[in-house]
Amino acid sequence: MALLPIAAVAADPVQPKAEEAVKSIAVPIRHITPGIEVLLSDRLESLKGKRVALLTNQTGVDRKGVSNVDLLRAHPAINLVALFSPEHGVSGAAQAGEKVASGIDPKSGLPVHSLYGETKMPTAKMMQGIDIVLVDLQDVGTRFYTYASTLLYMLRAAETSGSEVTVLDRPNPQGGMMIEGPALEPAFASFVGSYAVPVRHGMTFGELAQMFVGEDRLRTRLRVIAMRGWSRDLAPYLAWDLPWVPPSPNMLSPRTAAVYPGTALFEGTNISEGRGSEKPFEYIGGPFIDGAALAERLNAMGLPGVDFKPVSFTPDFSKYAGQHCHGVWVIPTNSKTFQPFRTGIALVKTVHDMYPDKFEFRPGAPSFFDQLAGTDSVRKGILDGKSVSDIERQWQDGLNAFMQVRARYLMYH
Protein backbone atom coordinates (compact mmCIF):
# COMPACT_ATOMS: atom_id res chain seq x y z
CA MET A 1 0.00 0.00 0.00
CA ALA A 2 1.09 3.56 -0.62
CA LEU A 3 1.65 5.90 2.29
CA LEU A 4 0.23 9.36 2.80
CA PRO A 5 1.03 11.95 5.49
CA ILE A 6 -2.05 13.00 7.43
CA ALA A 7 -2.13 16.13 9.55
CA ALA A 8 -3.10 15.97 13.20
CA VAL A 9 -3.73 19.58 14.17
CA ALA A 10 -3.50 21.32 17.55
CA ALA A 11 -4.98 24.75 18.30
CA ASP A 12 -3.83 28.03 19.75
CA PRO A 13 -6.12 28.57 22.74
CA VAL A 14 -7.17 32.11 21.81
CA GLN A 15 -6.66 32.56 18.07
CA PRO A 16 -6.92 29.14 16.42
CA LYS A 17 -6.03 30.50 12.98
CA ALA A 18 -2.76 31.98 14.15
CA GLU A 19 -0.79 28.86 15.04
CA GLU A 20 -1.30 25.21 14.24
CA ALA A 21 1.23 22.53 15.10
CA VAL A 22 1.15 19.80 12.48
CA LYS A 23 2.31 16.27 13.12
CA SER A 24 2.69 13.95 10.13
CA ILE A 25 1.73 10.32 10.53
CA ALA A 26 2.30 7.68 7.85
CA VAL A 27 -1.06 6.07 7.15
CA PRO A 28 -1.72 3.44 4.46
CA ILE A 29 -4.10 4.50 1.72
CA ARG A 30 -7.10 2.18 1.35
CA HIS A 31 -8.39 1.82 -2.19
CA ILE A 32 -12.18 1.87 -2.00
CA THR A 33 -14.38 1.40 -5.03
CA PRO A 34 -17.76 3.06 -4.33
CA GLY A 35 -21.01 1.49 -5.45
CA ILE A 36 -21.40 3.90 -8.39
CA GLU A 37 -18.16 2.58 -9.94
CA VAL A 38 -19.08 -1.05 -9.29
CA LEU A 39 -22.44 -0.44 -10.97
CA LEU A 40 -20.86 1.08 -14.06
CA SER A 41 -18.16 -1.57 -14.34
CA ASP A 42 -20.19 -4.78 -14.12
CA ARG A 43 -23.79 -4.30 -12.91
CA LEU A 44 -25.43 -2.41 -15.76
CA GLU A 45 -27.66 -5.21 -17.02
CA SER A 46 -30.43 -4.29 -14.56
CA LEU A 47 -30.69 -0.75 -15.97
CA LYS A 48 -31.06 -1.57 -19.64
CA GLY A 49 -34.36 -0.40 -21.07
CA LYS A 50 -35.42 1.12 -17.72
CA ARG A 51 -36.37 4.66 -16.77
CA VAL A 52 -33.91 5.56 -14.02
CA ALA A 53 -34.09 8.22 -11.30
CA LEU A 54 -31.23 9.16 -9.00
CA LEU A 55 -31.47 10.23 -5.35
CA THR A 56 -28.22 12.05 -4.77
CA ASN A 57 -26.37 15.28 -4.06
CA GLN A 58 -22.86 16.67 -4.42
CA THR A 59 -21.36 13.67 -2.54
CA GLY A 60 -22.20 11.27 -5.38
CA VAL A 61 -18.80 11.19 -7.05
CA ASP A 62 -16.30 8.55 -8.14
CA ARG A 63 -12.69 8.36 -6.99
CA LYS A 64 -11.73 11.04 -9.51
CA GLY A 65 -14.44 13.38 -8.23
CA VAL A 66 -16.65 12.99 -11.30
CA SER A 67 -20.36 13.47 -10.57
CA ASN A 68 -22.61 10.43 -10.74
CA VAL A 69 -25.09 12.49 -12.78
CA ASP A 70 -22.43 13.09 -15.41
CA LEU A 71 -21.32 9.45 -15.32
CA LEU A 72 -24.84 8.10 -15.77
CA ARG A 73 -25.90 10.60 -18.44
CA ALA A 74 -22.77 9.84 -20.45
CA HIS A 75 -23.52 6.12 -20.58
CA PRO A 76 -25.53 5.09 -23.66
CA ALA A 77 -27.23 2.20 -21.85
CA ILE A 78 -28.73 4.36 -19.09
CA ASN A 79 -31.89 6.43 -19.43
CA LEU A 80 -31.64 8.90 -16.54
CA VAL A 81 -34.96 10.78 -16.37
CA ALA A 82 -35.10 12.54 -12.97
CA LEU A 83 -33.22 13.47 -9.82
CA PHE A 84 -34.33 13.39 -6.19
CA SER A 85 -32.55 15.57 -3.64
CA PRO A 86 -32.31 15.26 0.18
CA GLU A 87 -31.85 18.05 2.73
CA HIS A 88 -29.40 20.74 1.52
CA GLY A 89 -30.40 20.16 -2.13
CA VAL A 90 -28.60 18.58 -5.07
CA SER A 91 -25.68 20.98 -4.68
CA GLY A 92 -25.55 20.71 -0.88
CA ALA A 93 -25.53 24.49 -0.48
CA ALA A 94 -28.71 24.96 1.57
CA GLN A 95 -28.20 25.33 5.31
CA ALA A 96 -29.63 22.92 7.90
CA GLY A 97 -33.42 23.04 8.01
CA GLU A 98 -33.68 25.28 4.95
CA LYS A 99 -36.49 24.15 2.66
CA VAL A 100 -35.47 23.42 -0.91
CA ALA A 101 -37.91 23.71 -3.82
CA SER A 102 -38.22 21.24 -6.66
CA GLY A 103 -37.13 22.49 -10.06
CA ILE A 104 -34.77 21.84 -12.95
CA ASP A 105 -31.10 20.97 -12.51
CA PRO A 106 -29.30 23.74 -14.45
CA LYS A 107 -26.41 21.52 -15.51
CA SER A 108 -28.22 18.39 -16.69
CA GLY A 109 -31.62 19.85 -17.47
CA LEU A 110 -33.25 17.03 -15.50
CA PRO A 111 -36.24 17.61 -13.21
CA VAL A 112 -35.28 17.65 -9.52
CA HIS A 113 -37.82 16.43 -6.98
CA SER A 114 -36.91 17.92 -3.61
CA LEU A 115 -37.49 15.67 -0.61
CA TYR A 116 -36.82 18.51 1.80
CA GLY A 117 -39.32 21.09 0.61
CA GLU A 118 -43.08 20.83 0.53
CA THR A 119 -42.85 17.09 1.01
CA LYS A 120 -40.39 14.62 2.48
CA MET A 121 -42.12 11.48 1.22
CA PRO A 122 -41.90 10.99 -2.56
CA THR A 123 -45.38 11.42 -4.01
CA ALA A 124 -47.08 9.11 -6.51
CA LYS A 125 -46.63 11.81 -9.15
CA MET A 126 -42.87 11.99 -8.48
CA MET A 127 -42.55 8.21 -8.74
CA GLN A 128 -44.75 7.84 -11.81
CA GLY A 129 -43.02 6.13 -14.71
CA ILE A 130 -39.81 5.42 -12.78
CA ASP A 131 -38.62 1.82 -12.95
CA ILE A 132 -35.50 2.10 -10.79
CA VAL A 133 -34.35 4.64 -8.21
CA LEU A 134 -30.60 4.69 -7.67
CA VAL A 135 -29.58 6.02 -4.24
CA ASP A 136 -26.06 7.44 -3.99
CA LEU A 137 -25.49 9.57 -0.87
CA GLN A 138 -22.58 9.90 1.54
CA ASP A 139 -24.02 9.44 5.02
CA VAL A 140 -22.17 10.34 8.24
CA GLY A 141 -23.05 7.26 10.30
CA THR A 142 -25.12 9.17 12.85
CA ARG A 143 -28.83 8.67 13.53
CA PHE A 144 -29.65 12.39 13.69
CA TYR A 145 -28.76 13.13 10.08
CA THR A 146 -31.73 13.30 7.75
CA TYR A 147 -30.34 11.29 4.82
CA ALA A 148 -31.27 8.00 6.48
CA SER A 149 -34.85 9.24 6.91
CA THR A 150 -34.93 10.21 3.23
CA LEU A 151 -33.74 6.70 2.36
CA LEU A 152 -36.45 5.14 4.54
CA TYR A 153 -39.16 7.32 3.00
CA MET A 154 -37.97 6.47 -0.52
CA LEU A 155 -38.14 2.75 0.29
CA ARG A 156 -41.71 3.18 1.55
CA ALA A 157 -42.74 5.19 -1.50
CA ALA A 158 -41.21 2.59 -3.82
CA GLU A 159 -43.22 -0.15 -2.15
CA THR A 160 -46.36 1.69 -3.26
CA SER A 161 -45.17 2.64 -6.75
CA GLY A 162 -43.54 -0.68 -7.56
CA SER A 163 -40.22 0.94 -8.42
CA GLU A 164 -37.02 -0.92 -7.59
CA VAL A 165 -34.52 0.82 -5.30
CA THR A 166 -30.80 0.23 -5.82
CA VAL A 167 -28.46 1.63 -3.17
CA LEU A 168 -24.94 2.42 -4.36
CA ASP A 169 -23.02 1.91 -1.15
CA ARG A 170 -20.39 4.18 0.39
CA PRO A 171 -18.21 4.01 3.53
CA ASN A 172 -19.42 4.93 6.99
CA PRO A 173 -16.96 7.64 8.12
CA GLN A 174 -17.59 6.55 11.73
CA GLY A 175 -16.25 3.09 10.93
CA GLY A 176 -18.25 -0.08 11.29
CA MET A 177 -17.38 -1.42 14.73
CA MET A 178 -18.23 0.94 17.57
CA ILE A 179 -21.90 1.38 18.53
CA GLU A 180 -22.99 4.17 20.87
CA GLY A 181 -26.02 5.81 22.37
CA PRO A 182 -29.64 4.90 23.02
CA ALA A 183 -31.81 3.36 20.35
CA LEU A 184 -34.48 5.84 19.34
CA GLU A 185 -37.62 5.64 21.47
CA PRO A 186 -40.91 6.03 19.51
CA ALA A 187 -41.99 9.13 21.45
CA PHE A 188 -38.96 11.05 20.15
CA ALA A 189 -39.09 10.03 16.49
CA SER A 190 -38.88 12.81 13.91
CA PHE A 191 -37.40 13.34 10.47
CA VAL A 192 -34.12 14.09 12.24
CA GLY A 193 -34.23 10.55 13.59
CA SER A 194 -36.93 8.26 12.30
CA TYR A 195 -35.76 4.71 13.04
CA ALA A 196 -34.90 2.76 16.18
CA VAL A 197 -31.12 2.75 15.82
CA PRO A 198 -28.49 4.12 18.22
CA VAL A 199 -26.86 7.47 17.65
CA ARG A 200 -23.76 5.76 16.26
CA HIS A 201 -24.92 2.59 14.52
CA GLY A 202 -21.84 1.42 12.61
CA MET A 203 -23.78 0.56 9.44
CA THR A 204 -23.42 1.63 5.83
CA PHE A 205 -26.29 3.13 3.85
CA GLY A 206 -26.78 -0.17 2.06
CA GLU A 207 -26.94 -2.08 5.33
CA LEU A 208 -29.44 0.40 6.75
CA ALA A 209 -31.60 -0.03 3.65
CA GLN A 210 -31.61 -3.80 4.11
CA MET A 211 -32.60 -3.39 7.75
CA PHE A 212 -35.39 -0.93 6.93
CA VAL A 213 -36.88 -3.33 4.39
CA GLY A 214 -36.37 -6.44 6.51
CA GLU A 215 -37.56 -5.14 9.87
CA ASP A 216 -40.50 -3.18 8.45
CA ARG A 217 -41.41 -6.09 6.15
CA LEU A 218 -41.55 -3.77 3.16
CA ARG A 219 -42.33 -5.37 -0.19
CA THR A 220 -39.95 -2.96 -1.89
CA ARG A 221 -37.60 -4.55 -4.39
CA LEU A 222 -34.19 -3.58 -3.02
CA ARG A 223 -30.70 -4.17 -4.38
CA VAL A 224 -27.48 -2.99 -2.77
CA ILE A 225 -24.39 -2.56 -4.91
CA ALA A 226 -21.64 -3.18 -2.38
CA MET A 227 -18.47 -1.12 -2.50
CA ARG A 228 -15.10 -2.83 -2.65
CA GLY A 229 -12.20 -2.28 -0.29
CA TRP A 230 -14.09 -1.14 2.82
CA SER A 231 -14.11 -3.26 5.97
CA ARG A 232 -15.78 -2.85 9.34
CA ASP A 233 -12.51 -2.38 11.21
CA LEU A 234 -11.23 0.31 8.86
CA ALA A 235 -10.27 3.27 11.04
CA PRO A 236 -12.48 6.32 10.37
CA TYR A 237 -9.47 8.56 9.77
CA LEU A 238 -7.61 6.19 7.49
CA ALA A 239 -6.79 7.83 4.16
CA TRP A 240 -9.20 6.72 1.44
CA ASP A 241 -8.75 7.28 -2.25
CA LEU A 242 -12.22 8.80 -2.23
CA PRO A 243 -12.50 12.59 -2.13
CA TRP A 244 -14.23 14.00 0.93
CA VAL A 245 -17.12 16.06 -0.38
CA PRO A 246 -18.91 17.80 2.52
CA PRO A 247 -22.32 16.06 2.80
CA SER A 248 -23.74 19.30 4.20
CA PRO A 249 -22.40 22.85 4.52
CA ASN A 250 -21.11 22.34 8.07
CA MET A 251 -19.74 18.79 7.68
CA LEU A 252 -16.41 20.04 6.43
CA SER A 253 -14.14 17.04 6.94
CA PRO A 254 -13.99 13.47 8.28
CA ARG A 255 -12.85 15.02 11.56
CA THR A 256 -16.10 16.99 11.71
CA ALA A 257 -18.03 13.77 11.13
CA ALA A 258 -16.03 12.08 13.90
CA VAL A 259 -17.10 14.52 16.62
CA TYR A 260 -20.60 15.19 15.28
CA PRO A 261 -22.41 12.34 17.15
CA GLY A 262 -21.57 14.10 20.41
CA THR A 263 -21.19 17.82 19.82
CA ALA A 264 -24.40 18.01 17.75
CA LEU A 265 -26.25 17.56 21.05
CA PHE A 266 -25.54 21.25 21.65
CA GLU A 267 -28.05 22.01 18.88
CA GLY A 268 -30.66 21.27 21.54
CA THR A 269 -29.20 23.89 23.91
CA ASN A 270 -28.35 27.59 23.98
CA ILE A 271 -24.64 26.76 23.50
CA SER A 272 -23.10 27.23 20.06
CA GLU A 273 -22.18 24.00 18.29
CA GLY A 274 -19.72 26.01 16.20
CA ARG A 275 -21.96 26.75 13.22
CA GLY A 276 -20.69 29.86 11.50
CA SER A 277 -17.12 29.26 12.71
CA GLU A 278 -14.20 27.74 10.83
CA LYS A 279 -14.69 24.41 12.61
CA PRO A 280 -18.40 23.68 13.09
CA PHE A 281 -19.09 20.89 15.60
CA GLU A 282 -15.39 20.80 16.51
CA TYR A 283 -15.83 24.08 18.40
CA ILE A 284 -18.47 24.53 21.08
CA GLY A 285 -18.92 27.60 23.24
CA GLY A 286 -20.77 30.73 24.25
CA PRO A 287 -20.10 34.32 25.37
CA PHE A 288 -20.29 33.46 29.07
CA ILE A 289 -18.00 30.39 29.06
CA ASP A 290 -14.44 30.36 30.41
CA GLY A 291 -12.75 28.19 27.79
CA ALA A 292 -9.60 27.51 29.78
CA ALA A 293 -11.55 26.40 32.84
CA LEU A 294 -13.85 24.22 30.74
CA ALA A 295 -10.93 22.57 28.93
CA GLU A 296 -9.15 21.93 32.22
CA ARG A 297 -12.19 20.24 33.75
CA LEU A 298 -12.87 18.12 30.65
CA ASN A 299 -9.26 16.99 30.26
CA ALA A 300 -9.23 16.00 33.94
CA MET A 301 -12.01 13.49 33.21
CA GLY A 302 -9.67 11.33 31.16
CA LEU A 303 -12.19 10.68 28.40
CA PRO A 304 -10.66 8.18 25.97
CA GLY A 305 -9.22 9.24 22.64
CA VAL A 306 -9.87 12.96 22.88
CA ASP A 307 -8.24 16.22 24.01
CA PHE A 308 -9.82 19.61 24.66
CA LYS A 309 -8.17 22.94 23.97
CA PRO A 310 -9.49 26.41 24.88
CA VAL A 311 -10.73 28.30 21.87
CA SER A 312 -12.38 31.61 21.04
CA PHE A 313 -14.48 32.18 17.92
CA THR A 314 -17.03 34.58 16.49
CA PRO A 315 -19.81 32.84 14.50
CA ASP A 316 -20.81 34.43 11.21
CA PHE A 317 -24.36 33.06 11.56
CA SER A 318 -26.53 30.85 13.76
CA LYS A 319 -26.27 31.18 17.56
CA TYR A 320 -24.40 34.24 18.83
CA ALA A 321 -23.74 35.53 15.31
CA GLY A 322 -21.23 38.35 15.52
CA GLN A 323 -20.58 37.74 19.23
CA HIS A 324 -17.26 36.61 20.67
CA CYS A 325 -17.64 33.10 22.07
CA HIS A 326 -15.32 31.05 24.26
CA GLY A 327 -15.26 27.31 24.70
CA VAL A 328 -13.28 24.27 23.64
CA TRP A 329 -11.98 22.61 20.52
CA VAL A 330 -12.82 18.89 20.61
CA ILE A 331 -9.81 17.06 19.13
CA PRO A 332 -9.97 13.27 18.61
CA THR A 333 -6.59 11.66 19.23
CA ASN A 334 -7.37 7.95 18.84
CA SER A 335 -10.11 6.80 16.48
CA LYS A 336 -10.22 3.33 18.04
CA THR A 337 -10.97 4.55 21.57
CA PHE A 338 -12.79 7.85 20.98
CA GLN A 339 -16.45 7.68 21.97
CA PRO A 340 -18.06 10.83 20.54
CA PHE A 341 -21.53 10.38 22.04
CA ARG A 342 -20.16 9.69 25.51
CA THR A 343 -17.92 12.72 25.04
CA GLY A 344 -20.94 14.79 24.00
CA ILE A 345 -22.85 13.86 27.16
CA ALA A 346 -19.81 14.78 29.25
CA LEU A 347 -19.53 18.12 27.43
CA VAL A 348 -23.18 19.05 27.90
CA LYS A 349 -23.20 17.91 31.52
CA THR A 350 -20.02 19.84 32.33
CA VAL A 351 -21.23 23.08 30.76
CA HIS A 352 -24.57 22.66 32.57
CA ASP A 353 -22.83 22.04 35.89
CA MET A 354 -20.44 24.97 35.49
CA TYR A 355 -23.10 27.45 34.37
CA PRO A 356 -26.44 26.26 35.81
CA ASP A 357 -27.95 29.76 35.70
CA LYS A 358 -27.00 30.45 32.08
CA PHE A 359 -27.11 27.06 30.36
CA GLU A 360 -30.50 26.14 28.85
CA PHE A 361 -32.05 23.23 27.00
CA ARG A 362 -34.17 24.47 24.11
CA PRO A 363 -37.86 24.27 25.00
CA GLY A 364 -40.32 22.08 23.14
CA ALA A 365 -42.62 19.12 23.50
CA PRO A 366 -40.64 17.00 23.00
CA SER A 367 -37.53 19.11 23.31
CA PHE A 368 -35.14 19.12 20.35
CA PHE A 369 -32.41 17.81 22.63
CA ASP A 370 -34.56 14.74 23.39
CA GLN A 371 -35.21 14.22 19.68
CA LEU A 372 -31.48 14.23 19.05
CA ALA A 373 -30.72 11.89 21.93
CA GLY A 374 -33.71 9.73 21.05
CA THR A 375 -34.78 9.66 24.68
CA ASP A 376 -35.42 12.08 27.54
CA SER A 377 -33.21 10.08 29.92
CA VAL A 378 -30.04 11.97 28.90
CA ARG A 379 -31.50 15.42 29.60
CA LYS A 380 -33.17 14.26 32.81
CA GLY A 381 -29.99 12.55 33.95
CA ILE A 382 -27.99 15.75 33.47
CA LEU A 383 -30.61 17.79 35.34
CA ASP A 384 -30.66 15.21 38.15
CA GLY A 385 -26.88 15.31 38.55
CA LYS A 386 -26.25 11.72 37.43
CA SER A 387 -22.81 10.67 36.27
CA VAL A 388 -22.11 9.98 32.61
CA SER A 389 -21.76 6.28 33.38
CA ASP A 390 -25.12 6.19 35.16
CA ILE A 391 -26.77 7.96 32.24
CA GLU A 392 -25.27 5.50 29.77
CA ARG A 393 -26.29 2.48 31.82
CA GLN A 394 -29.98 3.21 31.20
CA TRP A 395 -29.98 2.14 27.56
CA GLN A 396 -27.63 -0.86 27.54
CA ASP A 397 -30.42 -3.43 27.27
CA GLY A 398 -31.84 -1.67 24.21
CA LEU A 399 -28.39 -1.40 22.69
CA ASN A 400 -27.82 -5.14 23.13
CA ALA A 401 -31.17 -5.87 21.47
CA PHE A 402 -30.24 -3.64 18.52
CA MET A 403 -26.93 -5.44 18.09
CA GLN A 404 -28.78 -8.71 17.55
CA VAL A 405 -31.03 -7.14 14.90
CA ARG A 406 -28.12 -5.35 13.24
CA ALA A 407 -26.12 -8.55 12.84
CA ARG A 408 -28.70 -9.90 10.36
CA TYR A 409 -28.03 -7.11 7.86
CA LEU A 410 -24.26 -6.59 7.89
CA MET A 411 -22.62 -6.97 4.48
CA TYR A 412 -18.95 -6.34 5.23
CA HIS A 413 -16.45 -8.17 7.42
Side-chain angles (χ1 to χ4, degrees):
M1 290 185 179
L3 295 180
L4 179 75
I6 285 185
V9 187
D12 180 280
V14 178
Q15 296 180 348
K17 291 183 179 179
E19 290 184 18
E20 289 189 345
V22 178
K23 179 182 178 182
S24 293
I25 308 170
V27 176
I29 296 176
R30 176 64 65 90
H31 298 289
I32 297 173
T33 304
I36 180 64
E37 292 189 38
V38 177
L39 173 78
L40 293 172
S41 66
D42 56 21
R43 301 291 179 86
L44 281 176
E45 68 282 351
S46 65
L47 303 185
K48 292 180 180 178
K50 303 295 178 66
R51 290 170 57 86
V52 179
L54 177 63
L55 168 55
T56 195
N57 61 8
Q58 74 287 350
T59 64
V61 297
D62 66 7
R63 283 174 294 180
K64 296 179 181 179
V66 180
S67 162
N68 52 17
V69 178
D70 293 340
L71 291 168
L72 294 171
R73 290 183 70 238
H75 202 289
I78 300 174
N79 182 20
L80 185 62
V81 299
L83 303 177
F84 288 92
S85 66
E87 184 179 7
H88 310 294
V90 168
S91 67
Q95 285 292 337
E98 182 180 339
K99 302 302 180 184
V100 179
S102 296
I104 300 296
D105 177 45
K107 184 176 181 182
S108 67
L110 293 169
V112 180
H113 303 302
S114 172
L115 300 180
Y116 203 81
E118 294 181 359
T119 181
K120 295 182 174 68
M121 173 76 77
T123 65
K125 185 176 181 180
M126 292 176 180
M127 301 294 288
Q128 186 175 3
I130 293 174
D131 300 309
I132 296 176
V133 179
L134 301 177
V135 180
D136 190 14
L137 291 167
Q138 177 61 64
D139 193 36
V140 298
T142 305
R143 185 188 66 231
F144 42 73
Y145 203 72
T146 60
Y147 294 174
S149 294
T150 297
L151 171 64
L152 175 60
Y153 284 24
M154 175 58 75
L155 290 167
R156 290 174 176 170
E159 179 185 37
T160 301
S161 72
S163 307
E164 179 182 313
V165 175
T166 298
V167 176
L168 309 178
D169 218 3
R170 291 184 176 272
N172 182 335
Q174 300 285 334
M177 300 291 287
M178 192 175 290
I179 313 301
E180 272 197 288
L184 177 71
E185 297 173 8
F188 304 103
S190 68
F191 197 69
V192 172
S194 56
Y195 209 83
V197 299
V199 172
R200 193 179 179 202
H201 49 69
M203 301 178 76
T204 70
F205 226 43
E207 291 171 336
L208 283 173
Q210 293 190 151
M211 184 173 68
F212 293 162
V213 169
E215 293 304 301
D216 279 10
R217 293 181 170 84
L218 299 177
R219 296 185 304 276
T220 309
R221 291 177 295 144
L222 170 68
R223 295 177 70 224
V224 177
I225 306 298
M227 61 191 144
R228 295 171 183 154
W230 189 80
S231 57
R232 308 216 75 80
D233 60 351
L234 185 61
Y237 313 142
L238 194 74
W240 303 336
D241 61 347
L242 284 176
W244 177 263
V245 180
S248 53
N250 293 287
M251 196 63 61
L252 301 182
S253 73
R255 188 182 292 268
T256 316
V259 300
Y260 176 77
T263 54
L265 289 173
F266 282 103
E267 292 184 306
T269 76
N270 66 332
I271 305 301
S272 170
E273 65 278 5
R275 289 184 188 274
S277 76
E278 66 168 318
K279 293 189 183 297
F281 299 109
E282 295 182 57
Y283 293 169
I284 66 96
F288 54 84
I289 290 177
D290 182 331
L294 178 59
E296 181 178 7
R297 184 173 295 194
L298 289 166
N299 284 320
M301 293 180 180
L303 294 165
V306 63
D307 285 338
F308 303 92
K309 293 191 178 296
V311 68
S312 295
F313 60 96
T314 304
D316 294 329
F317 61 89
S318 194
K319 298 173 190 170
Y320 305 115
Q323 298 183 54
H324 206 42
C325 294
H326 314 282
V328 293
W329 183 0
V330 183
I331 306 175
T333 58
N334 187 325
S335 64
K336 292 184 177 180
T337 61
F338 178 48
Q339 300 173 56
F341 189 68
R342 185 175 211 274
T343 300
I345 297 173
L347 274 162
V348 175
K349 174 178 167 55
T350 302
V351 175
H352 166 271
D353 293 351
M354 290 178 68
Y355 303 97
D357 296 331
K358 295 183 177 180
F359 174 92
E360 296 175 358
F361 288 106
R362 284 173 53 183
S367 76
F368 189 58
F369 185 92
D370 295 350
Q371 289 180 317
L372 292 169
T375 176
D376 59 4
S377 64
V378 177
R379 178 179 52 84
K380 289 179 177 178
I382 291 171
L383 293 173
D384 291 343
K386 290 183 178 179
S387 68
V388 174
S389 295
D390 285 342
I391 292 171
E392 285 183 309
R393 200 170 291 120
Q394 300 173 90
W395 58 72
Q396 288 308 307
D397 289 345
L399 202 58
N400 293 336
F402 168 76
M403 291 291 287
Q404 295 179 14
V405 173
R406 172 183 181 267
R408 298 198 287 265
Y409 303 102
L410 300 183
M411 299 170 53
Y412 305 90
H413 297 296

